[in-house]
């Protein structure tokens, strides 16, 4: 039997960075028809109610129905250490991150944190995420198992590191290849799971390990490849010392086959002109993590510039370097960083980045991130007046953008009125 959800609906017929906010499709009294876990139709409430008299109706009133949020870069093992004080990237990793990732050597703890992370993601309206794991192969099993239990589409991979990390968090070039290959065989394409070949970043991999992972990705081209690039100036200088032959930071990956469609580069803030050219030409994606960049003091990513020059850009929390599980808070931070780099991003830009834009970077836009017919019914419904402060501002709104922007800037998990994954309602109601 079909389900019919009534509320305001908002989706995009194109990329608003290229075509302007006018590509948004807003229905003030809209509806989404769900059948067998997929979106069967989107239209006006009156038309779909008349056409499907037997559907089970859920009327959400003025709530705004969107595709579920897509968080293109995060670290589930860092959930329990989010908001750790006072460090910058390298000492933050050494002080907090590696100590916590060490604890995931215990498979039971890894499973507990994986379950907790996906529960928190759903609380905040995030239905798909791309996550790093730890060096332990079972940490990837843990997040894929937790996702399977919720029917969530998750992209993840065992994090590979064979130098500059504590003894308990080190693999080798060969074991990274072997363990990742076994995980790909076990999980990639099983249900909604997608695997990402995952070197943490150039400083914690030897050239031999990056070489092995480049070969693995070439053998499994439908996998994603996720890593970090040019997050902090100190890190860029360190990479220059570690890879004296490389033309620049990106070249440490490029020389070993680790760029191209499906490559996800977290941060990508401090780029050389050659790197910008190669990222664009290769169809790689830049993943903007604004709360992380301000929290760890990394720098300001210029979203408007990247989009204008033709880069693929996604949006992400980067928890626990990021300071929020919420893609609403992440959009707000992207807006603030945009202001500091000279462009006020439109609400259409922000909402597109948090849904379809991120889905495109994961090469999953035919499955998640839109309200297109035939895609998975992964949805979030937002209450646009979830707190008194937001409600009194939204009451003045004269169009959908004025109505939704206070929730983008001031909203949190209290704004999440409902979440559906593969057509099943997992939050609200
Ligand atoms: Zn990260």
């Amino acid at each position: 039997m079909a389900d019919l959800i009534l509320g305001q609906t908002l989706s995009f017929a194109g990329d608003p960075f290229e075509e302007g906010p006018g590509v948004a499709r807003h229905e003030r009294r809209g509806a989404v028809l769900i059948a067998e876990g997929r979106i069967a139709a989107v239209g006006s409430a009156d038309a779909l109610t008349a056409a499907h008299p037997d559907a089970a109706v859920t009327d959400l009133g003025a709530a705004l129905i969107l595709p579920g949020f897509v968080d293109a870069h995060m670290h589930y093992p860092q959930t329990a250490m989010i908001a750790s004080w006072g460090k910058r990237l390298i000492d933050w990793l050494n002080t907090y991150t590696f100590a916590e990732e060490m604890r995931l050597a215990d498979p039971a703890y890894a499973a507990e944190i994986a379950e907790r992370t996906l529960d928190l993601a759903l609380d905040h309206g995030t239905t798909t995420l791309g996550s790093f794991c730890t060096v332990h192969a079972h940490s990837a099993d843990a997040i894929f198992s937790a996702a399977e239990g919720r029917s969530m589409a998750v992209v993840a991979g065992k994090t590979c590191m064979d130098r500059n990390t504590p003894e308990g968090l080190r693999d080798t070039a060969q074991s990274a290849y072997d363990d990742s290959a076994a995980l790909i065989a076990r999980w990639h394409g099983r249900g909604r799971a997608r695997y990402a070949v995952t070197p943490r970043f150039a400083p914690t991999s030897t050239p031999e390990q990056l070489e092995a992972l480049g070969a693995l990705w070439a053998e499994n081209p439908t996998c994603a490849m996720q890593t970090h690039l040019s997050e902090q100036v100190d890190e860029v200088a360190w990479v220059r010392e570690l890879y004296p032959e490389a033309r620049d930071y990106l070249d440490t990956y490029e020389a070993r086959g680790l760029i191209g469609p499906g490559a996800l580069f977290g941060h990508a803030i401090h780029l050389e002109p050659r790197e910008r050219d190669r990222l664009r030409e290769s169809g790689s994606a830049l993943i903007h993590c604004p709360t992380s960049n301000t929290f760890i003091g990394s720098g300001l990513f210029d979203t408007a510039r990247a989009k204008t020059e033709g880069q693929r850009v996604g949006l992400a929390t980067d928890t626990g370097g990021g300071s929020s599980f919420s893609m609403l808070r992440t959009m707000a931070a992207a807006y603030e960083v945009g202001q500091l780099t000279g462009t006020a991003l439109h609400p259409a830009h922000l909402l597109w980045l948090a849904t379809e834009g991120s889905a495109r970077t994961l090469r999953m836009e035919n499955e998640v991130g839109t309200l297109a017919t035939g895609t998975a019914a992964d949805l979030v419904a937002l209450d646009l007046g979830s707190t008194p402060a937001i409600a009194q501002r939204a009451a003045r709104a004269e169009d959908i953008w004025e109505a939704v922007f206070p929730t983008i800037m001031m909203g949190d998990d209290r704004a999440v009125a409902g979440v559906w994954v593969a057509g099943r309602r997992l939050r609200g109601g």
Side-chain angles (χ1 to χ4, degrees):
M1 177 159 119
D3 291 296
L4 193 58
I5 307 172
L6 311 184
Q8 303 193 68
T9 57
L10 184 66
S11 59
F12 296 94
D15 178 345
F17 283 95
E18 293 170 6
E19 299 170 52
V23 293
R25 297 285 172 265
H26 173 235
E27 192 87 51
R28 188 168 300 281
R29 190 69 188 141
V32 179
L33 183 74
I34 300 173
E36 293 173 0
R38 302 212 158 247
I39 295 173
V42 176
S44 79
D46 288 347
L48 287 181
T49 306
H52 302 276
D54 297 334
V57 175
T58 302
D59 191 344
L60 300 172
L64 179 65
I65 303 167
L66 297 166
F69 296 131
V70 179
D71 181 351
H73 175 122
M74 57 92 69
H75 301 253
Y76 95 80
Q78 299 171 17
T79 286
M81 51 148 289
I82 191 169
S84 292
W85 183 84
K87 304 289 183 187
R88 291 170 62 84
L89 178 61
I90 305 303
D91 57 350
W92 178 84
L93 284 169
N94 287 317
T95 307
Y96 298 120
T97 313
F98 291 151
E100 178 64 16
E101 291 192 7
M102 207 88 85
R103 298 185 66 191
L104 277 83
D106 174 4
Y109 185 67
E112 178 190 336
I113 296 299
E115 301 282 343
R116 187 189 302 175
T117 300
L118 295 188
D119 281 341
L120 286 166
L122 291 171
D123 290 345
H124 290 85
T126 298
T127 50
T128 285
L129 49 84
S131 183
F132 287 62
C133 299
T134 65
V135 74
H136 316 99
H138 66 247
S139 71
D141 291 319
I143 190 76
F144 284 128
S145 296
E148 195 170 64
R150 293 163 179 77
S151 299
M152 288 174 74
V154 160
V155 181
K158 172 202 124 69
T159 298
C160 301
M161 305 191 278
D162 66 345
R163 65 169 165 175
N164 294 319
T165 57
E167 180 58 40
L169 290 180
R170 232 175 286 157
D171 52 13
T172 67
Q174 189 63 48
S175 74
Y177 178 95
D178 292 343
D179 288 351
S180 301
L183 286 163
I184 290 168
R186 187 142 74 241
W187 289 107
H188 184 58
R190 169 167 151 182
R192 306 190 70 189
R194 306 279 184 94
Y195 197 82
V197 175
T198 307
R200 177 178 224 113
F201 66 155
T204 51
S205 287
T206 58
E208 293 71 31
Q209 180 167 79
L210 294 182
E211 194 85 45
L213 295 175
L216 180 66
W217 193 31
E219 291 154 15
N220 298 276
T222 60
C223 289
M225 192 293 295
Q226 58 182 351
T227 189
H228 297 87
L229 176 68
S230 298
E231 179 175 0
Q232 292 205 341
V233 172
D234 295 356
E235 170 212 11
V236 176
W238 191 24
V239 169
R240 203 171 290 130
E241 285 171 30
L242 291 168
Y243 291 84
E245 82 297 346
R247 288 171 288 184
D248 44 46
Y249 194 158
L250 182 67
D251 197 33
T252 65
Y253 302 123
E254 181 181 357
R256 297 166 181 92
L258 294 168
I259 64 168
L264 304 150
F265 291 102
H267 309 295
I269 300 169
H270 308 283
L271 298 177
E272 303 291 336
R274 194 201 77 86
E275 294 176 296
R276 307 193 78 93
D277 289 345
R278 288 301 297 137
L279 286 163
R280 185 188 64 251
E281 290 161 7
S282 65
S284 302
L286 289 61
I287 309 300
H288 181 27
C289 308
T291 73
S292 172
N293 297 159
T294 54
F295 182 73
I296 310 185
S298 301
L300 303 175
F301 179 87
D302 190 338
T303 303
R305 177 185 175 188
K307 286 295 293 178
T308 300
E309 70 188 22
Q311 307 283 3
R312 295 182 187 216
V313 178
L315 188 64
T317 63
D318 192 32
T319 53
S323 56
S324 175
F325 293 99
S326 172
M327 289 299 284
L328 291 170
R329 175 69 200 119
T330 303
M331 285 184 261
Y335 178 79
E336 291 160 351
V337 170
Q339 287 284 54
L340 290 168
T341 56
T343 304
L345 297 173
H346 190 276
H349 295 146
L350 299 167
L351 289 167
W352 182 85
L353 283 171
T355 55
E356 187 171 349
S358 284
R360 285 189 189 185
T361 66
L362 296 168
R363 294 189 293 182
M364 293 176 72
E365 71 273 21
N366 294 324
E367 173 72 8
V368 302
T370 76
L371 295 183
T373 301
T375 63
D378 293 355
L379 307 170
V380 61
L382 298 178
D383 172 358
L384 300 183
S386 61
T387 69
I390 294 171
Q392 60 90 35
R393 176 62 185 91
R396 287 254 189 114
E398 294 188 348
D399 61 26
I400 183 60
W401 306 122
E402 265 196 83
V404 73
F405 194 57
T407 289
I408 290 174
M409 292 309 301
M410 300 194 285
D412 53 30
D413 50 330
R414 288 170 292 180
V416 176
V419 177
W420 290 256
V421 172
R424 201 155 56 94
R425 189 167 189 175
L426 299 183
R427 292 291 184 276

